Each structure stands twice: as structure tokens, then as C-alpha cells.
Amino acid sequence: MEVNFLVLLLYLGIFGLAGLMLSRAWRIGKRNRLDLVANWSNVQLENPARYKPIYITINLVGGIALLALAGLVLAVGLPFGTWVSLAALIFWSYFFAYQFLGWNAKKNAHNEAKAAEKAKQPKT
């Protein structure tokens, strides 16, 4: 039996990425590390408590999906092209969810600041 070490590294990378996602969900949820509620560039969002449940959910779903995929590779014997494509889909969905939440938080902070500024102005 021939072992392709690059494929093995990709497969083991799924476990590493899933571990990072689940660890981040644990640290945000149980340890209340709001500094981890950040965008992809690791800049904390405005009002992180507001986005805490969403970040926990994204990390849990991503981590569990990757672990389920790794289990399916062993249990069912998914072909290489299939499981690599599914892993990429999970990762890019995770990435775009982070990007979208960062953009949404910035937009909401801007809108709230604009509304507060408008409320300060005297009514004429």
C-alpha cells in the first residue's frame, strides 16, 4: 500500500483546523474571551457581546462539519476530490462568514454613530 504524504497532511490538517475552530468557540463561549470576537484580521469588533453568539455558532458548525467530514473519509472512503472539495467549501464558508460579520459590525457601528449624532443635533 502506497501512502501519499501530501494527502495525509491535508487530511490531518482537517483535524487541526477543526480543533482551532472548536477551541475558539470554547474560549469565546465558556471563557468569555470577547477579544476573540474579531474580524479575519484579528481586530475586535465594535460591541463584541452583540456578536458573541453568532461567532460561537460559526465556529461550532465549522468545527463539527470538518470532524464529520474527516469521519466520513474513514467510514465511507470518500474519494480525494470529493472530501477536499467539501473541506474547501467548509473553510471558505467559514472565511466569508467572518468577513460578512466584520463588515456588518462596521456598518452597524457607523449607522449607530450617525443616529447618535443626528439625535444630538437640536431640532429646528
Side-chain angles (χ1 to χ4, degrees), residues 27-81:
R27 288 181 286 159
I28 292 171
K30 289 294 183 180
R31 306 227 178 197
N32 204 26
R33 295 267 316 268
L34 293 180
D35 61 310
L36 295 175
V37 179
N39 63 11
W40 192 257
S41 301
N42 210 20
V43 176
Q44 186 177 13
L45 301 181
E46 297 282 334
N47 193 7
R50 177 180 185 178
Y51 297 99
K52 177 182 170 182
I54 300 170
Y55 270 77
I56 293 169
T57 304
I58 288 171
N59 283 292
L60 278 176
V61 168
I64 291 170
L66 284 175
L67 287 178
L69 178 63
L72 281 174
V73 168
L74 291 180
V76 179
L78 288 176
F80 175 75

Side-chain angles (χ1 to χ4, degrees), residues 105-117:
K106 186 183 283 188
K107 181 183 67 109
N108 286 340
H110 175 70
N111 289 344
E112 289 168 1
K114 191 188 262 187
E117 183 180 307

